[in-house]
Amino acid sequence: MNKRTLAISGAAVAALGAAAILLPNANANPDKTSGAKTFSSPVAVKLARSLAADLGDNGAGWYYDNANRQLVMNVVDEDSAEGVRAKGAVAKIVTNSMEDLKAATKTLSSDASVPGTAWSIDPVTNKVQVTADRTVTGAKWATLTKATDQMEGTVSVKRSQGEFKKFDGEEAAQPGDNGGAGAGDAAGDAGAGDAAGNAGAAGGADDAGAGGAGDAGAGGAGDAGAGGADGGEQGAGGAGDAGGAGDAGGGGDAAAGGLDGGDAIFGGGARCSLGFNVSVDGAPGFLTAGHCGNASQTWTSDEAGAQQVGTVQDSKFPENDFALVMYDDATTQASSTVDLQNGSTQEIGRAVEASVGLKVQRSGSTTGVTDGTVTGLNATVNYGNGDIVNGLIQTDVCAEPGDSGGAMFAEDAAVGLTSGGSGDCTQGGETFFQPVTGALEATGAVIGAGDGGAGGGDAAGGAGDAAGGAGDAAGGAGDAAGAGNAGAGDAGNAGAGDAGNAGDAGAAAGAGDTGNDAGQGLN
């Protein structure tokens, strides 16, 4: 055999070897996400719920991948995975079924329920994530690890540097503390330029509804600039109210009992935060944390207790953590809004269930507005002294004492009531929230006052269809020139103008994570 023949033979062998490597890969699909579609968060939630119903026991949870804008569905077999991929979602075949994960949480509740521990189902890792705070040492740590060691592969354990505690406080809210505006303080001082300048910045988080923040911000500008009760009334009576600006504009409404979500409330020596205004059979009230409701039967808008606003009608804690407080004045006009702590408000028209990966914001009287992401569901937290709460939403949103009961929301949708957690807004930590949907169902309340609220998950008068929920109800708002018209004496037009201009400060900000579906609210 000559050299030329050897060269040809060698080349043929090399080609065959390359074919042996490439052909199998050509027939397989190495990238299971290559055919996946991108979705806005609201659309992903709708699709996930539909797929989860179809999958039944073959599904093992799901989450929204914010970085890639994809829906990830956990499944237990390949047949189920094919059905998921056909709908444009990413199919992730996992080891632990939802039944396995729920069984693990039951074992933890019976064998490892020690103070300073928390756990939630994490669909990203397909495990139950157990967190032990810094107080879990010695015998408590031994009890925890004995239980979790027997569930290797289903449960994972991590330590928290903080200590799990309820986030009620004992001192009055101070304007500007830790970035918060303090109860009702920001609105009166904010001029039109200041509030408008802050429009949109308060929205912050991608899917979390910067649109609404922007709209409400500039809407509130005129009201705040008008100063005092007159500005508040003018905004509330005109189109500005639809943008959530009227109540933000003046402390006069707060004195009459109409507080916003996130505002400070006082009772029994405790300071908490209002969650969401609601109505029960047409009567105005609000939701807050149950451990706050247990602390006092009556609540005021001032530390001195001179301005009583409501009386507790129902309070559940522990196991759950929500309370229903009814306004003492049945004529109170309690707007369905959350205080963004910068002189503006976010309109809230409905309530939705949380989902892992959902971008959210939280408003509280100590730390103002902070944002983050839902990281776990069906969470249990043991605060000690027998205070164990189940069915909570776990997040990486920070909070501090005094923020208890405060509103967690996504765009124009109510999501949760602040319960407690570890850490603070300097170092970060974990925070747990009572689902609003559960509180509404238990109390028979609906989100918002009778003129603008919606029960459960229903949109309120079209507000849910707006990018930030701030402007649809302002009739003729589009004719206004926008925030530029927000003169100090033109409070009503300020709300209307900005509501009509959802595309400027609000929709543009919200569109970053909602894609072509920026106009759709969460569902």
Side-chain angles (χ1 to χ4, degrees), residues 56-61 74 76 94-107 121 126 128 151 154 378:
D57 292 340
N58 292 324
N74 291 342
V76 296
V94 296
T95 302
N96 299 314
S97 67
M98 185 56 68
E99 184 178 352
D100 294 332
L101 298 173
K102 289 182 178 179
T105 63
K106 291 181 180 179
T107 300
I121 294 176
N126 186 230
V128 175
M151 295 183 284
T154 306
N378 298 317

Side-chain angles (χ1 to χ4, degrees), residues 4 16 25 30 81 88 110 144 172 181 184 189 220 227 244 265-266 300 368 417 448 452 479:
R4 185 171 182 274
L16 287 172
N25 287 330
S110 61
L144 178 64
D189 294 333
I265 53 176
F266 303 87
T300 68
L417 304 167
D479 294 332

Side-chain angles (χ1 to χ4, degrees), residues 361-373:
Q361 291 176 280
R362 178 200 56 74
S363 178
S365 62
T366 299
T367 56
V369 176
T370 58
D371 54 43
T373 305

Side-chain angles (χ1 to χ4, degrees), residues 177-519:
D177 271 3
N178 298 316
D185 184 75
D189 294 333
D194 292 336
N198 287 330
D206 301 311
D207 264 338
D215 294 336
D223 298 333
D230 290 341
E233 290 172 3
Q234 188 175 357
D241 186 60
D247 288 329
D253 283 340
L259 301 172
D260 294 315
D263 285 352
I265 53 176
F266 303 87
R271 174 171 61 87
C272 290
S273 298
L274 186 147
F276 298 96
N277 282 317
V278 298
S279 62
V280 180
D281 297 328
F286 61 82
L287 295 174
T288 187
H291 64 268
C292 295
N294 287 0
S296 177
Q297 187 66 16
T298 58
W299 288 84
T300 68
S301 60
D302 65 318
E303 184 186 13
Q307 298 180 25
Q308 181 171 319
V309 293
T311 302
V312 174
Q313 178 171 300
D314 190 11
S315 185
K316 294 290 188 291
F317 180 85
E319 295 187 11
N320 295 291
D321 197 0
F322 65 86
L324 171 65
V325 181
M326 300 304 295
Y327 282 106
D328 292 332
D329 183 353
T331 65
T332 297
Q333 297 299 310
S335 296
S336 185
T337 47
V338 171
D339 191 349
L340 297 179
Q341 312 290 354
N342 66 351
S344 64
T345 57
Q346 166 66 57
E347 186 81 12
I348 300 295
R350 60 214 173 88
V352 297
E353 295 180 3
S355 55
V356 171
L358 177 67
K359 294 283 190 179
V360 291
Q361 291 176 280
R362 178 200 56 74
S363 178
S365 62
T366 299
T367 56
V369 176
T370 58
D371 54 43
T373 305
V374 173
T375 59
L377 302 175
N378 298 317
T380 293
V381 60
N382 189 328
Y383 293 120
N385 298 318
D387 292 341
I388 302 172
V389 188
N390 302 306
L392 298 178
I393 304 164
Q394 184 169 348
T395 75
D396 59 10
V397 182
C398 73
E400 296 180 10
D403 288 329
S404 273
M408 179 172 75
F409 57 101
E411 298 181 2
D412 69 331
V415 181
L417 304 167
T418 308
S419 175
S422 69
D424 53 38
C425 288
T426 300
Q427 300 177 346
E430 304 87 12
T431 302
F432 300 91
F433 296 82
Q434 162 73 42
V436 167
T437 51
L440 292 173
E441 182 178 358
T443 59
V446 294
I447 285 291
D451 60 348
D458 296 331
D465 293 328
D472 270 357
D479 294 332
N485 287 339
D490 202 8
N493 287 337
D498 211 61
N501 249 340
D504 294 341
D513 269 348
T514 54
N516 293 329
D517 298 280

Side-chain angles (χ1 to χ4, degrees), residues 104-119 130-131 136 140-149 151 155 380 382 388:
T105 63
K106 291 181 180 179
T107 300
L108 288 167
S109 294
S110 61
D111 299 347
S113 185
V114 297
T117 59
W119 51 80
V130 180
T131 305
V136 181
K140 292 198 296 184
W141 178 253
T143 298
L144 178 64
T145 54
K146 180 180 179 181
T148 56
D149 286 348
M151 295 183 284
V155 171
T380 293
N382 189 328
I388 302 172

